[in-house]
Amino acid sequence: MARRAAVLSLIALAAAGCGGRAERDSPAVQPVTGAANFWNGATVYFLLTDRYANGDTTNDHALGRQHDGSVLRSFEGGDLAGLLQRIEQGYFDSLGVSAIWLTPFVEQIHGSVDEGTGKTYPFHGYWTRDWTAVDPSLGTADDLRAVLDAAHSRGIRVLMDAVINHTGPPTPHDPAWPESWVRRGPNCTYDNYAATVDCTLVATLPDIRTESDAPVELPKELLEKWDREGRRDREVAQLDAFFQRTGYPRSPRYYLIKWLTDWVRELGVDGYRVDTAKHFGESVSAELKREAEAALAEWRRGHPERIPGDLPFYMVGEVSGWEVGHGRMYDFGDREVDYFSHGYDALINFGFKRDATARPDSLFTAYAAALHGGPLDGVAVLNYLSSHDDGSPYDVDRKDPLGAGTRLLLAPGGAQIYYGDELARPLRVAGAEGDANLRSFMNWDDLAGGGSTRAVLEHWRKLGRFRRDHPAVGAGEHRTLQRSPYVFSRTLEAEGRSDRVLVAMDQGEGEKTIPVFGLFPDGTGLVDAYSGATATVTEGSVTLTTGSDLVLLSRPSPSAAPAGP
């Protein structure tokens, strides 16, 4: 499907549909409407654990890894202990965060690889060696459990980055996986479905034979590793029990599904962000979802007090190139796939960073049309401005971090904050090559210095808490009330709850009178979540004095709005 240069064309595209040949398979997993409302109203904070906060310097050189990689391509010391500190300090509460998405925490290859951008260690988490262990550079299983417990105690969910498409590359320190488990070619050309799925993502990453049902033996090196760690008998017995319970063949994907869902069953992981989702058959994601749902249900039975509600297990897919304008379908050229019908509650929206360059009214109207009555009605999307491997982020030089936050956090659909978006963390680093520019250590020092960084954070916090307190912001129906100065409303009537907000932009500083267009009756007391000012609706308008040109109006929320560290 051709990419759309202007966001306004999304409306017509949504109404017309994608056309072409689509799959006719019956949906494997039906989306849940209530879950869609939650995740479209959610703020997901995505972080690279190694680049976030160093809470335990004793693991900085775990497994003998040295700090001798190319610029920003070694482990930098961030760990689960540092993340735990930030959770307990209330940093995520202060941003209104609904869920924390962690890069993969499982054990990585021990060595390094040069993929053409210099010596690189697996700090990012996508080069797996052992799906059953926490990487020592990030901490221990107890550290991970503490992170989930602390997040859950605050009503924050935790998403695990699930890698099922490939193993880590072999190195002099890391054995190659057997040929029965992986293919080592050809490289993907993306010309069609097969050239995207039955191939290696890059030459260095062995591709798991996820399409195969042929039984395989556990790699000898993995069994020897478990022997050294004193857990071989336990791991093998658990695998035997899994295959006996499910009746699945002992083929590669089912081993991985077992290992990935163990983290859900043991720790209460709330969802997956599924890596490279279009590079393996979509039936695999449906199988993974079913087992994860069962695992979360089992964990919840043993921990009914840990997190409120019964929200289903969540899965968001990284289908590279998919965007809101494509509707439910992703086009491989010779085949279209509806990933929402194969286990995914949401897809990452790769078009948002481009669409955000349009006027806010165009952006908001188009996205609302797709999500309410359009092709994406009943499912969720996850918008982002910058990410760990997107070389063309929105506002790469951070010239307007306030405007970026306004667009992302007020847009219909889920919002993904990439760590440091809220601090204008630089996305260009001297000496770094490729995606290393996007992966600098969190700029806490800039925040400690105050000034503009503190002002940026406060802007994002106000918008994030408004979004948290009012699900209508991301999940509600959008209505443009006035184009200049711009005023719009969002309303959500769902599951016995009514939520209404009115947002006014470009109002200027000082005293301002804003019509409410019947959204709130006369006599209603309203609060501006941005300034804290209050006003009462009189003759269809509110008058208030603030130091900002942005006004976020609603009835007062019963929830507190912590300032955070």
Side-chain angles (χ1 to χ4, degrees), residues 275-307:
D275 183 59
T276 59
K278 72 177 182 183
H279 291 284
F280 53 85
E282 57 277 7
S283 61
V284 177
S285 57
E287 294 169 334
L288 176 64
K289 178 69 171 295
R290 282 195 294 268
E291 288 301 319
E293 287 177 327
L296 183 58
E298 182 177 331
W299 180 85
R300 284 178 173 170
R301 284 194 294 272
H303 306 84
E305 77 291 348
R306 289 295 176 88
I307 195 165

Side-chain angles (χ1 to χ4, degrees), residues 227-247:
D227 255 336
R228 293 191 299 271
E229 297 169 350
R231 58 190 181 99
R232 174 174 175 162
D233 290 346
R234 184 186 73 215
E235 294 293 344
V236 171
Q238 288 179 354
L239 282 165
D240 290 344
F242 171 80
F243 286 113
Q244 182 176 7
R245 174 179 65 82
T246 63

